[in-house]
Amino acid sequence: MLQIKNLTASVERKKIINGLDLEINDSEIHVLMGPNGVGKSTICKILLKDENYTISSGVIIFNGTKINDLNTTEVARLGIYLVNQNPIGIEGVTNAEMLRTALSDITGERVGIFEFNKKLENICKELDIPKEFIHREINVGMSGGERKKNELMHLWMLEPKFIILDELDSGLDVDALKVVSESINKYYEKFKPSILIITHHNKILEYIKPHKVHVLKDGKIIKSGDITLAKEIENSGFTAF
């Protein structure tokens, strides 16, 4: 589903990613681990086409389509979705307004209000958030846990093929992390997307079980393995690599 080949990228002329190679097949769950400041979240910004980041070499291919030169909207239409570490608030736009517009853009058809509202209400119940969230401004006045659940409400409505979870456990207490993780696992069982988890510790992996684990250092992947690699990191830290 996703191929990143010999990718080099910079921000403000500072090289952050340096010869990165990564391949994620259909329905695989991968984890990208590393200490703070090694470029993990930079991968998110590059995949979602943040204009502050410049690709100087390499190629990114998603489902057979080269996405190097696409913009954020074009990438999202292909089915790539990011659950951000710190979801931003957007004043003046409600969740319902954004989701109806996005769904109409994806399908090219008018969204039926009754079916739309019924699905949203069911998702709110599943995520243990008030139905009032449907008509609230996007992430405005919400706690960290509420913002993550709000992002998952968007995910269930938009049904992406490839999900990036950037520090999903950031800002979540134990109960919220369990609810959010269970929702992602249910989504995986229903739609079988590919998932890239970006994290610097193992807590999230207690709930979402990966097929492959990668260690990022100096802008490239230096080691890959299965879940035992994450346990090795837990025991020895990143200084062992």
Side-chain angles (χ1 to χ4, degrees):
M1 178 168 285
L2 179 72
Q3 291 179 303
I4 302 176
K5 299 179 180 179
N6 195 31
L7 185 69
T8 299
S10 306
V11 58
E12 297 179 351
R13 299 183 180 180
K14 180 180 179 182
K15 187 183 294 184
I16 305 295
I17 301 301
N18 185 22
L20 179 74
D21 292 302
L22 177 64
E23 184 169 333
I24 301 176
N25 295 319
D26 291 352
S27 303
E28 286 186 344
I29 301 175
H30 286 230
V31 180
L32 190 60
M33 303 188 72
N36 291 329
V38 298
K40 300 188 305 299
S41 292
T42 298
I43 302 297
C44 304
K45 297 181 183 298
I46 292 170
L47 289 174
L48 272 296
K49 314 309 296 189
D50 187 318
E51 294 181 353
N52 294 308
Y53 291 77
T54 302
I55 297 174
S56 54
S57 65
V59 64
I60 306 172
I61 300 172
F62 180 73
N63 274 345
T65 299
K66 182 180 176 182
I67 67 171
N68 288 50
D69 299 323
L70 301 185
N71 60 35
T72 301
T73 299
E74 291 167 334
V75 167
R77 283 178 183 149
L78 292 176
I80 298 178
Y81 183 86
L82 169 65
V83 179
N84 210 318
Q85 180 177 357
N86 297 302
I88 63 170
I90 303 176
E91 296 183 356
V93 181
T94 69
N95 286 308
E97 290 168 337
M98 183 279 290
L99 289 168
R100 281 201 302 268
T101 300
L103 287 169
S104 179
D105 183 73
I106 292 169
T107 64
E109 300 176 357
R110 183 178 177 276
V111 177
I113 298 298
F114 178 78
E115 294 82 4
F116 175 84
N117 284 334
K118 184 177 180 181
K119 183 176 180 180
L120 263 179
E121 288 177 1
N122 289 336
I123 292 170
C124 286
K125 183 178 180 180
E126 184 72 29
L127 290 171
D128 192 27
I129 55 178
K131 290 190 292 184
E132 288 75 20
F133 271 45
I134 295 172
H135 299 292
R136 282 184 63 173
E137 295 174 308
I138 299 172
N139 295 326
V140 175
M142 297 182 184
S143 67
E146 288 174 335
R147 290 186 177 213
K148 292 290 175 68
K149 290 180 179 180
N150 205 48
E151 296 284 293
L152 289 185
M153 178 173 69
H154 299 170
L155 180 145
W156 275 96
M157 287 299 294
L158 298 175
E159 300 181 4
K161 305 169 186 173
F162 184 83
I163 304 167
I164 307 168
L165 305 175
D166 184 18
E167 303 288 359
L168 180 69
D169 45 4
S170 176
L172 297 183
D173 60 30
V174 174
D175 292 332
L177 177 60
K178 185 175 181 180
V179 170
V180 167
S181 298
E182 286 178 350
S183 179
I184 291 170
N185 283 329
K186 288 179 181 178
Y187 185 91
Y188 179 81
E189 289 302 317
K190 183 173 183 178
F191 296 106
K192 291 294 188 292
S194 298
I195 300 177
L196 175 61
I197 302 172
I198 294 174
T199 187
H200 60 273
H201 55 72
N202 288 339
K203 188 63 179 178
I204 186 65
L205 306 186
E206 295 177 10
Y207 299 99
I208 304 175
K209 304 300 184 182
H211 298 103
K212 294 185 180 180
V213 177
H214 311 280
V215 179
L216 186 70
K217 184 178 181 180
D218 298 328
K220 67 176 72 174
I221 291 173
I222 60 168
K223 190 170 184 178
S224 299
D226 57 20
I227 189 64
T228 58
L229 178 56
K231 294 177 181 178
E232 181 182 345
I233 292 170
E234 183 178 18
N235 293 329
S236 303
F238 292 108
T239 56
F241 299 96

